[in-house]
Amino acid sequence: MKKHEEYDPVLIKNDIALIEMNVPIKLNEYKQVACLPTKNSSDYPRSNDKVLLIGWGKTNTIMDYFKFLRLKTAYLNVLSSNHCQSLFEDFADEKQICVGNDSFFFLLLYM
């Protein structure tokens, strides 16, 4: 596993890692490639872009605490930086993408 070189566990910034597989993965309808953005800023989600959240993270309901092994999905819109700063005290980085939930989820942007 390769962590981001600038990962900060205290501020939870650059919270991403890559896993190198020993064998090739056969792609099918359930396993697909998710592309990483380049340094070109047009590749990053903008406010109101539709994104897909995928993961096993917690949601706002207490019942989901007991269903953490169930894979969840949700379509959400990216929120503006100003909106996120009003919701989350520690949201201050222009590199962060805010959709109102960040708990063990992967974020995919449809392009």
Side-chain angles (χ1 to χ4, degrees), residues 47 49 61 88 90 98-99 101 111:
S47 183
D49 279 350
T61 65
F88 305 105
D90 57 350
C98 179
V99 294
N101 186 329
M111 299 184 82

Side-chain angles (χ1 to χ4, degrees), residues 19-58:
I19 299 172
E20 184 175 353
M21 306 299 290
N22 291 331
V23 295
I25 295 175
K26 294 181 181 179
L27 302 179
N28 59 36
E29 67 178 298
Y30 301 106
K31 294 182 272 182
Q32 294 290 315
V33 174
C35 299
L36 296 174
T38 65
K39 290 186 179 186
N40 181 349
S41 64
S42 67
D43 291 338
Y44 289 90
R46 296 187 178 127
S47 183
N48 291 321
D49 279 350
K50 183 180 269 191
V51 293
L52 174 63
L53 233 51
I54 303 171
W56 291 269
K58 65 182 177 180

Side-chain angles (χ1 to χ4, degrees), residues 53-70 72 100-105:
L53 233 51
I54 303 171
W56 291 269
K58 65 182 177 180
T59 63
N60 293 334
T61 65
I62 190 67
M63 290 308 295
D64 279 336
Y65 177 78
F66 300 104
K67 298 177 185 175
F68 68 92
L69 294 177
R70 183 172 161 234
K72 300 170 194 73
N101 186 329
D102 185 23
S103 175
F104 306 106
F105 285 98

